[in-house]
Each structure stands twice: as structure tokens, then as C-alpha cells.
């Protein structure tokens, strides 16, 4: 394969960083993935991935074997790269504000260890205005000649991250000059994919507004679901009918217990903070967040009402991951819902096809005190007073529900993801409660 220039990736072991590094290496760039976590680098060199993402492990092995993907803990190794992607986390502070400190320190570190100028391309999701602030920050420290800031937001979804890299919906690059933006877009622009070259602020806001729009769409359908339950309508049919309008489209109209995971909620909260800082009200976005939070309480109330209280009740929970096809439980809705069950006095047994213990979910031992981990959905259901479905794993759709009913002490299924047909469950004698059906 033709060897192209070198690129650097800071935060090279995270979801965005590792996908970026492996895919760019596959394209022929020498990808230097820099991360401070030497233990995880050793793991990956021994063949143990830091997380699961379909198709990624093979890509990492292939590109490591041909020498195009290298991992390092030495920032000086980034010197040979002219373009360096910043993929560090921007976790939410208690106020909801995104903590951009890792982005600042990564860029400063990169700049301090260079002799010439690199383009530092921010993939991390940062509030609008951050690139401009970082440029001033570099200027104040006399580092502007060693790092020029570019915004290139990442839109990939967990579980289809590699596929999304090859076929992105669009490529957005924000830079002070068109020439710089073109250079970054030129790294990988598959034919037919729209490219938007714009300013820093536009690029930063496009990322936040996209995630906020997706979140609002989910909250919208979840709000309509409330009324469906009252008037005897089925949200799945209503959603289908709405989504057939091409101006609306069918995506992100699946009602359930709402959105969770490391991005949508965090980015929505960060956007709300940006409104606060600008002294503007964001009524619609605030409502989208409130509706989502309410969904998590509603499902517990539903269970409580059905069982006449939760104290001493044994609940089987299916699904820990924030969505199917990922082993990520970061900010998963399952955590607060299970905590509500525990604090109402229930005992909880969980099952997830990919996460079989707190360690596999990278949870602290005391995150979910007293919770048992079952090896199968049937083992989880055995002798329980209800089955609660929280993640729409495909294998849960295939369960033998007659067997599940026989396992349960009380034939009650509360389904936060609407994965079954009400009629079929009723015929089996199961009390089935979905969301908006
Ligand atoms: C999201 C954005 O989609 C992606 O573009 C961005 O880069 C990162 O954030 P991700 O968090 O991986 O991606 O998951 P996504 O597929 O968007 O789902 C987020 C949450 O919304 C999940 O909890 C999912 O179950 C929920 N969801 C999604 C619904 O409740 N209903 C839907 O119709 C769609």
C-alpha cells in the first residue's frame, strides 16, 4: 500500500480516537496514536481491545501488523505528524458544562513539544467558541507558531463507528482559512459525501445542534407516547405514520425510555449551559431534557403500580448497555433506573449479553450494591416478580416467551423498548406493559 504522510491522534485509545487512528491507518496514513494510559497500550499490543466496536479489532490488528498504526505514550513521537487529531474526552461537570481541560492541556502539550507548526484538529465535542479561545490561549503562551486550531466534529455512532467513518453523513471542517479547511477535508473525503467548510463557531455549533435535535426528536415521540397510552393508540404505528413524511423521516422516532449514553445527554446539557452563559433561554431544549428524565421515573412508577409497591420485590432487568451492539454503560439509562429500584426496596438481577459483571461494564463494585448478575435472560427471570427490558438487544426479541413466563413468579413484563407484540404476550397470559402502546 502507498504510504502517505503521518497523522497524530491524541486520546488514541478512546472511542473516537481509536476508530480515527485505525481507519486512517487503513487508508495508508501512518497513524501515531498517543495516549497516556500505558497499561491499555500494552493490552492493545497484546491483542486486548479497550472496548468493543464492530469491525474495529480486525482493523487495529491489520494496521498494527503492517506498521501503519503505532501506539505511544511519548508526545514527542507526534513531531513527524503535520496533522494531529485531538480526541480527548470532554466530560460533563456537575453544572452540565463540558470540561474542556483535557483538550486544552493536550494541545498545549503537543505545541510545547514541536519545532514546526502542526494543525491540531479538534474532534472532541467542545462548546461553541472553544477554538477561538484555544487560539488566544496559544497566542498568550507564544505557541501559535506551533499549533493552528481546526474544528472537525465527529458524528459517528457507537456500535457503527467504523462504518460511519467510511460513510459519514457529512464532513464538517471549521477553520480560519479555506486552505487549511481543505487540507483537513482532503485527508479522507469519500465521493458523494457532502463537505461543509466553514468557521470554527459554525462547526462547533453544528455538532451540538445535531445531537440536540436528535435528542429532541426522541423526546418528542416519547411525549406523544404518553397520550397514546391514554387514548388507546399504539406509538409504534403513530411513529411510522409520522416518519413516512419525508420532511420528518423515520429515524430517531422510536419511543421508549429515552436517550442515554455518553453523548446525547451530555451534549444537550452542555448546549443548555451555553445558552445560560449567553443569557438566552432554551425552552425547547430544556423540555427535551426534562421529558427524557421523566421517562426513567415513569417506567419505575409503572412497575410499582403493577406490583403494588416495590419493597421486597425481585426484579429481573434485561439490558445494561445504553443501546444494543455496544458494551458501553457510561451514562446508560439502566444505571439510574436500577438505582431507583434499589432505593425503593426491590432486589435486582441484571442480564446483558455483552456485560456479565460490574468489571466487564467498567463499573465500580459499589455502583450497584447488592445487584446480582445473571448469565442468561432465563436465569435472570427465574422466580422474579417482573421482567424489565431496558435495552433492545436483538437476542431479547428472540426469547422463548413461554419459557420466560414459566420462569417468572409473576407473569409481568415491563418493556422500556417496545420489542414485543402485545397481542402475542396477552395470549400467553403475560401482563405486558410497553411505552405508549
Ligand atoms: C449519538 C449521535 O447519534 C452521533 O451522531 C454522535 O456522534 C454521538 O451521539 P450514540 O450516542 O452512539 O450517537 O447513539 P445513538 O444511536 O444516537 O443513540 C442514543 C440514544 O438514543 C440511545 O440510548 C438510544 O437507545 C436512544 N434512541 C435512539 C431512542 O431512544 N430512540 C430512537 O429512535 C433512537
Amino acid at each position: 500500500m502507498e504510504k502517505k504522510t503521518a497523522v497524530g491522534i491524541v486520546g488514541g485509545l478512546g472511542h473516537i480516537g481509536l476508530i480515527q487512528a485505525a481507519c486512517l491507518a487503513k487508508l495508508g496514513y501512518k497513524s501515531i496514536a498517543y495516549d497516556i494510559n500505558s497499561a491499555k497500550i500494552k493490552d492493545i499490543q497484546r491483542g486486548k481491545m479497550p472496548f468493543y466496536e464492530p469491525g474495529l479489532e480486525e482493523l487495529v490488528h491489520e494496521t498494527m501488523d503492517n506498521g501503519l498504526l503505532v501506539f505511544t505514550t511519548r508526545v514527542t513521537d507526534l513531531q513527524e505528524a503535520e496533522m494531529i487529531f485531538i480526541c480527548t474526552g470532554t466530560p460533563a461537570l456537575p453544572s452540565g458544562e463540558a470540561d474542556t481541560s483535557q483538550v486544552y492541556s493536550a494541545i498545549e502539550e503537543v505545541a510545547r513539544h514541536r519545532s514546526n507548526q502542526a494543525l491540531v484538529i479538534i474532534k472532541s465535542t467542545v462548546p461553541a467558541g472553544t477554538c477561538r479561545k484555544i487560539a488566544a490561549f496559544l497566542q498568550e503562551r507564544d505557541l501559535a507558531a506551533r499549533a493552528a486550531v481546526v474544528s472537525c466534529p465527529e458524528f459517528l455512532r457507537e456500535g457503527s463507528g467504523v462504518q460511519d467513518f467510511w460513510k459519514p453523513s457529512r464532513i464538517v471542517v471549521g477553520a480560519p482559512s479555506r486552505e487549511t479547511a481543505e487540507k483537513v477535508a482532503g485527508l479522507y473525503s469519500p465521493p458523494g459525501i457532502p463537505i461543509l467548510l466553514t468557521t470554527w463557531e459554525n462547526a462547533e455549533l453544528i455538532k451540538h445542534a445535531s445531537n440536540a435535535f436528535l435528542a429532541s426528536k426522541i423526546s418528542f415521540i416519547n411525549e406523544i407516547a404518553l397520550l397514546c397510552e391514554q387514548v388507546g393508540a399504539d406509538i409504534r404505528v403513530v411513529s411510522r405514520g409520522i416518519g413516512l413524511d419525508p420532511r420528518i423521516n423515520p429515524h430517531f422516532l422510536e419511543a421508549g425510555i429515552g436517550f442515554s449514553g455518553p453523548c446525547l445527554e451530555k451534549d444537550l446539557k452542555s448546549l443548555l449551559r451555553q445558552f445560560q452563559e449567553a443569557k438566552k433561554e432554551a425552552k425547547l431544549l430544556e423540555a427535551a431534557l426534562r421529558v427524557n428524565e421523566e421517562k426513567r421515573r415513569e417506567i419505575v412508577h409503572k412497575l410499582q403500580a403493577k406490583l403494588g409497591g416495590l419493597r421486597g420485590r425481585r426484579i429481573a432487568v434485561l439490558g445494561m448497555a445504553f443501546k444494543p451492539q455496544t458494551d458501553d454503560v457510561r451514562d446508560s439509562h439502566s444505571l439510574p433506573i436500577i438505582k431507583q429500584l434499589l432505593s425503593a426496596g426491590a432486589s435486582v438481577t441484571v442480564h446483558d449479553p455483552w456485560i456479565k459483571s460490574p468489571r466487564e461494564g467498567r463499573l465500580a463494585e459499589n455502583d450497584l450494591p447488592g445487584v446480582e448478575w445473571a448469565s442468561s435472560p432465563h436465569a435472570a427471570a427465574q422466580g422474579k416478580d417482573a421482567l424489565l427490558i431496558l435495552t433492545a438487544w436483538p437476542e431479547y426479541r428472540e426469547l422463548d416467551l413461554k419459557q420466560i413466563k414459566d420462569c417468572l413468579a409473576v407473569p409481568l413484563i415491563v418493556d422500556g423498548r417496545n420489542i414485543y407484540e402485545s397481542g402475542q404476550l396477552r395470549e400467553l397470559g403475560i401482563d405486558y406493559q410497553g411505552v405508549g402502546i
Side-chain angles (χ1 to χ4, degrees):
M1 175 181 302
E2 175 210 352
K3 193 166 169 182
K4 299 181 183 165
T5 55
V7 291
I9 295 97
V10 181
L13 292 176
H15 258 95
I16 295 181
L18 190 54
I19 293 173
Q20 186 78 11
C23 290
L24 287 171
K26 175 77 182 169
L27 286 168
Y29 295 100
K30 178 175 176 193
S31 287
I32 308 164
Y34 163 64
D35 205 288
I36 49 169
N37 194 328
S38 54
K40 278 196 182 165
I41 290 189
K42 281 196 189 106
D43 279 350
I44 214 168
Q45 284 162 341
R46 283 190 215 111
K48 184 173 173 259
M49 295 287 285
F51 54 86
Y52 179 78
E53 185 64 37
L56 186 60
E57 188 166 359
E58 300 83 316
L59 210 54
V60 167
H61 289 157
E62 180 193 326
T63 50
M64 276 173 78
D65 289 348
N66 67 19
L68 283 171
L69 175 60
V70 292
F71 292 92
T72 182
T73 51
R74 285 190 307 262
V75 70
T76 44
D77 289 347
L78 296 173
Q79 171 65 38
E80 67 174 294
E82 194 199 335
M83 296 197 217
I84 297 175
F85 290 90
I86 306 297
C87 303
T88 50
T90 49
L93 294 168
S95 63
E97 185 187 344
D99 178 359
T100 53
S101 58
Q102 291 180 53
V103 175
Y104 275 79
S105 55
I107 294 178
E108 185 176 7
E109 203 191 3
V110 165
R112 289 208 184 280
H113 291 89
R114 292 193 70 84
S115 50
N116 59 347
Q117 194 183 50
L119 290 183
V120 288
I121 306 155
I122 302 182
K123 281 261 151 209
S124 315
T125 302
V126 294
T130 303
C131 285
R132 198 166 292 281
K133 285 186 192 151
I134 292 178
F137 168 90
L138 291 168
Q139 196 81 47
E140 282 159 23
R141 285 159 182 75
D142 247 352
L143 294 170
R146 301 203 221 153
V149 186
V150 179
S151 166
C152 181
E154 181 54 67
F155 301 102
L156 64 78
R157 297 157 298 171
E158 282 190 27
S160 56
V162 173
Q163 197 185 315
D164 289 348
F165 181 94
W166 299 126
K167 261 190 161 200
S169 49
R170 73 282 209 198
I171 292 172
V172 176
V173 185
S177 83
R178 196 176 168 89
E179 192 196 343
T180 307
E182 273 170 357
K183 221 177 199 179
V184 175
L187 268 182
Y188 177 59
S189 339
I193 302 300
I195 296 177
L196 181 58
L197 307 183
T198 183
T199 62
W200 283 328
E201 286 79 5
N202 286 343
E204 292 165 332
L205 209 47
I206 285 168
K207 168 68 190 187
H208 274 96
S210 300
N211 273 359
F213 187 80
L214 294 174
S216 306
K217 221 175 158 187
I218 299 170
S219 282
F220 171 84
I221 203 69
N222 280 335
E223 189 154 277
I224 301 292
L226 273 180
L227 193 58
C228 284
E229 288 180 16
Q230 303 308 312
V231 301
D234 183 333
I235 191 66
R236 293 171 294 194
V237 182
V238 174
S239 167
R240 217 174 119 226
I242 300 171
L244 286 171
D245 183 332
R247 294 170 301 177
I248 299 176
N249 88 42
H251 305 293
F252 280 71
L253 282 182
E254 256 175 57
I257 32 178
F259 54 85
S260 71
C263 294
L264 287 197
E265 195 179 357
K266 171 178 87 76
D267 294 351
L268 180 57
K269 285 183 178 165
S270 159
L271 190 57
L272 287 170
R273 280 289 300 187
Q274 294 172 54
F275 270 83
Q276 269 176 21
E277 272 165 31
K279 303 206 171 7
K280 295 286 169 200
E281 261 190 275
K283 299 192 191 102
L284 188 67
L285 301 178
E286 268 165 22
L289 184 62
R290 268 208 314 278
V291 168
N292 199 53
E293 289 169 346
E294 189 54 37
K295 278 293 165 204
R296 297 172 186 179
R297 289 189 285 273
E298 262 167 46
I299 194 108
V300 175
H301 292 157
K302 219 171 238 178
L303 202 55
Q304 210 154 15
K306 275 281 155 190
L307 292 172
L310 286 169
R311 184 147 304 279
R313 293 299 200 164
R314 296 150 304 170
I315 313 296
V317 169
L318 298 193
M320 282 300 296
F322 82 94
K323 66 175 189 180
Q325 309 306 324
T326 175
D327 60 357
D328 200 349
V329 298
R330 287 176 299 164
D331 295 313
S332 169
H333 54 278
S334 298
L335 298 169
I337 291 174
I338 293 170
K339 282 180 186 164
Q340 280 183 70
L341 295 173
L342 293 173
S343 62
S347 64
V348 177
T349 302
V350 302
H351 172 266
D352 188 282
W354 288 3
I355 309 156
K356 294 281 166 42
S357 65
R359 196 177 49 81
E360 282 182 28
R362 294 177 285 278
L363 293 166
E365 283 299 331
N366 57 357
D367 264 348
L368 297 174
V371 164
E372 284 182 14
W373 293 71
S375 56
S376 70
H378 294 91
Q382 196 60 51
K384 302 301 185 307
D385 298 316
L387 187 74
L388 179 60
I389 297 180
L390 296 184
T391 311
W393 281 100
E395 37 275 77
Y396 294 158
R397 294 179 196 272
E398 307 301 320
L399 286 179
D400 181 334
L401 294 167
K402 163 89 181 58
Q403 271 183 20
I404 290 285
K405 185 196 166 203
D406 293 343
C407 289
L408 286 167
V410 178
L412 169 64
I413 296 184
V414 176
D415 182 358
R417 295 292 172 194
N418 290 346
I419 62 175
Y420 301 127
E421 281 311 319
S422 325
Q424 188 203 349
L425 273 88
R426 222 172 295 124
E427 270 171 32
L428 288 171
I430 296 173
D431 184 356
Y432 180 59
Q433 303 289 316
V435 177
I437 55 179

